[in-house]
Amino acid sequence: EMALEAQELTTDLQHGRDANAFSRLFMLWIGSLMSVGGRKEIELSDLWTLDDTQRCTTQGSMLSREWAADRDAAKAKGKRASLVRVWRHVYGGRLLRSGAVQFVHQVFQVLPFVFLRFLLDSITERRGVSEGLGWTFALVGTLFLRALLENHYFRLVMRLAVDVRAGVMHFVYGKSLVLTPTARQANSLGQMVNLMQLDTEKLLMSVGLLHQAWAGLLQIALIVALLIFYLGPAALAGVLVILLLVPVSLRLTTLQRRYQRESTRFTDERVKVINEVLQGIRIIKFYAWEAPFLNRIRELRERELAKLRVKAIIKAFGAVFLQAAPAFTTIVTFGVYVSLGNEISTRNVPVIFTSLALFAQLRMPLMMYPMVLAMLVDARVSATRLERFFHLKELHGDAVRRDRGAGAKAEIREGTFSWDPELTTDGTSGRLADIGPGGKPVKGSKGAKGKGKKE
């Protein structure tokens, strides 16, 4: 009976692609899943299947094709392929659409304060109930539209972030299967696992906050413009305080980026040593080498934690400093406002309350901006690591061609039998002549003796 009830609940689920325009606009289609979650614990079988465009295979194949095209185009110009440029080609349109929604959302972030000023003026000057109700409905409607735009923006940008992570994970996994022996030796399994887990997670978080890098500045500019309009030249004192915070924020961001890069280096080394210990655990146990390897792992972990500890201290200092910045800005602004001959009285209640509300709103972008910059710094480091990995040499997929005809069992044309040239002292390798269908003797070979050729 419980199984039948669960099946009935699951069949009632509605996917966003099947919903009508009204349901998609107000996200009513998600209510069916919420209803199922309210009655029982949601399991994987309760969820709908993903679209083909959201699958890892689709995203990874699209990313790998674009990377190959960008690599060939950059090679023709004597340059290197860029992962950021590839992402721009693949996800640029979706990023622009989410950015347009964010721009409209930022306008609606400050529009309620304009209506608040009109509402306070109407109440202070006793202009009538009808006008007050009109500004009240305008204020409520603006807040409703702001919330709607905000939810649609986060839905667009988080879906984009998930697709970016899925594509990169699929690409990293596929790349790891075709690495040359030299590239595989230079990149341990732990490093590749870190690329698929840690670095892709940082990309997921940074894509969700990518538009905040410019949207935060836009919101600050709009708020400052309204403050100048309401308070006059006194607001310029607050703007000066904000400008003084910019170099401090940039300096803190630079320090965080440096310590994040250094901690990542120790993380890769620690994971590499741990994998070596696990792979050779029998030899380590046989020779009783547990203590030296354990000390080595602890040493690397301590170095890693030391860098992360300094980064956390810098991040905490920046958060506290910028969180207190709006309060300092408010004190300086109203101090200058009074010193210029203005007075704080009931007649200036609309200006004062609106300005205080704007200063309170200014706190959020100033608090979020250091975190956004830190996330983008981490994402930049991760993108650099991924780009370096994608540039590693690959095995040629067309090096071996299987012909199931009735001809020769084996035929070798211009075969090269050697170690990887990067592993030899002078980069030479032994090259054999063609071997025909009859398995004829080798005509000759060239290359220094001992350089890996096979005679």
Side-chain angles (χ1 to χ4, degrees):
E1 183 178 354
M2 294 179 62
L4 291 176
E5 182 181 358
Q7 185 176 2
E8 292 177 359
L9 291 173
T10 305
T11 54
D12 293 336
L13 288 179
Q14 184 182 23
H15 197 280
R17 61 174 178 264
D18 302 325
N20 54 41
F22 183 81
S23 179
R24 289 197 299 269
L25 177 62
F26 296 101
M27 298 185 182
L28 300 178
W29 57 272
I30 199 67
S32 58
L33 181 62
M34 297 295 181
S35 178
V36 174
R39 300 182 189 180
K40 72 180 193 69
E41 184 177 353
I42 295 179
E43 300 177 356
L44 183 62
S45 58
D46 298 327
L47 302 176
W48 47 74
T49 57
L50 290 174
D51 296 333
D52 292 336
T53 57
Q54 291 183 276
R55 296 184 178 275
C56 287
T57 305
T58 305
Q59 296 294 327
S61 301
M62 185 166 51
L63 187 64
S64 61
R65 287 195 304 268
E66 190 64 34
W67 172 264
D70 188 80
R71 181 186 57 195
D72 296 338
K75 186 177 181 181
K77 299 178 182 179
K79 300 180 181 179
R80 290 170 60 90
S82 172
L83 187 58
V84 176
R85 187 166 55 244
V86 171
W87 281 330
R88 187 173 66 248
H89 291 166
V90 177
Y91 304 108
R94 296 172 61 183
L95 194 64
L96 287 177
R97 287 194 295 271
S98 60
V101 176
Q102 176 69 320
F103 179 80
V104 179
H105 172 251
Q106 291 302 319
V107 175
F108 275 85
Q109 284 276 47
V110 298
L111 196 57
F113 299 102
V114 178
F115 293 147
L116 176 63
R117 167 66 188 276
F118 291 146
L119 177 60
L120 292 175
D121 285 337
S122 176
I123 295 174
T124 304
E125 299 176 5
R126 301 181 181 275
R127 297 176 184 175
V129 178
S130 59
E131 182 177 347
L133 289 176
W135 291 121
T136 301
F137 284 123
L139 179 60
V140 173
T142 305
L143 294 174
F144 175 78
L145 291 176
R146 184 179 72 176
L148 189 65
L149 288 169
E150 184 176 6
N151 284 278
H152 275 287
Y153 163 73
F154 278 112
R155 180 176 179 270
L156 289 173
V157 77
M158 290 310 298
R159 181 170 177 175
L160 174 61
V162 171
D163 289 345
V164 171
R165 182 180 66 170
V168 171
M169 291 180 68
H170 186 276
F171 193 14
V172 170
Y173 180 77
K175 180 78 174 183
S176 65
L177 299 179
V178 296
L179 291 177
T180 62
T182 306
R184 191 177 297 277
Q185 286 183 358
N187 295 267
S188 64
L189 178 61
Q191 290 176 321
M192 289 184 280
V193 171
N194 282 340
L195 291 176
M196 294 182 63
Q197 292 182 351
L198 300 180
D199 292 296
T200 55
E201 186 66 24
K202 292 175 183 177
L203 290 178
L204 174 69
M205 299 300 296
S206 64
V207 172
L209 297 174
L210 184 61
H211 287 299
Q212 297 296 333
W214 61 266
L217 294 177
L218 176 61
Q219 187 176 357
I220 293 173
L222 292 175
I223 292 175
V224 169
L226 286 177
L227 286 172
I228 295 175
F229 180 76
Y230 292 146
L231 298 177
L236 296 177
V239 175
L240 179 61
V241 175
I242 295 175
L243 293 178
L244 292 177
L245 297 177
V246 174
V248 178
S249 179
L250 292 177
R251 178 58 180 169
L252 293 176
T253 303
T254 303
L255 291 176
Q256 290 184 48
R257 179 179 180 179
R258 189 183 75 183
Y259 284 103
Q260 174 65 30
R261 184 168 56 248
E262 293 178 358
S263 66
T264 304
R265 180 168 57 87
F266 288 119
T267 302
D268 291 339
E269 183 68 21
R270 176 176 57 85
V271 173
K272 180 180 178 181
V273 174
I274 291 176
N275 285 330
E276 292 175 351
V277 169
L278 294 177
Q279 292 174 4
I281 190 64
R282 291 185 177 180
I283 302 299
I284 293 175
K285 285 290 186 180
F286 183 79
Y287 286 101
W289 287 343
E290 297 94 334
F293 277 96
L294 185 59
N295 292 333
R296 175 60 176 165
I297 295 173
R298 285 176 177 173
E299 179 185 357
L300 292 172
R301 181 57 176 168
E302 289 297 327
R303 292 183 179 180
E304 177 188 0
L305 290 177
K307 301 298 181 181
L308 292 175
R309 193 177 297 113
V310 176
K311 178 192 171 185
I313 293 174
I314 296 174
K315 184 177 180 179
F317 175 77
V320 172
F321 181 75
L322 293 176
Q323 186 176 2
F328 293 136
T329 306
T330 304
I331 295 173
V332 172
T333 301
F334 280 103
V336 176
Y337 181 77
V338 174
S339 64
L340 292 177
N342 301 297
E343 59 180 13
I344 300 178
S345 61
T346 55
R347 183 168 53 86
N348 294 331
V349 165
V351 174
I352 295 172
F353 273 92
T354 305
S355 301
L356 289 175
L358 287 170
F359 278 119
Q361 182 68 21
L362 188 62
R363 179 187 301 271
M364 185 56 63
L366 289 178
M367 288 176 55
M368 289 289 295
Y369 211 69
M371 184 181 68
V372 171
L373 292 179
M375 286 287 184
L376 294 180
V377 166
D378 293 344
R380 182 58 185 172
V381 174
S382 299
T384 303
R385 286 160 49 85
L386 288 168
E387 188 173 306
R388 183 194 63 81
F389 180 77
F390 294 152
H391 275 294
L392 295 176
K393 292 184 177 180
E394 302 178 6
L395 298 172
H396 296 289
D398 56 350
V400 178
R401 183 173 62 87
R402 293 176 174 83
D403 188 359
R404 301 186 181 278
K409 294 183 178 179
E411 182 178 355
I412 302 175
R413 296 182 179 179
E414 298 182 357
T416 300
F417 297 85
S418 68
W419 297 105
D420 194 307
E422 296 180 1
L423 298 179
T424 59
T425 56
D426 56 359
T428 59
S429 60
R431 180 172 297 279
L432 300 181
D434 296 345
I435 297 180
K440 298 178 180 179
V442 178
K443 296 179 180 179
S445 61
K446 53 185 177 181
K449 188 173 181 180
K451 295 301 182 183
K453 72 179 187 301
K454 189 175 183 181
E455 300 183 2

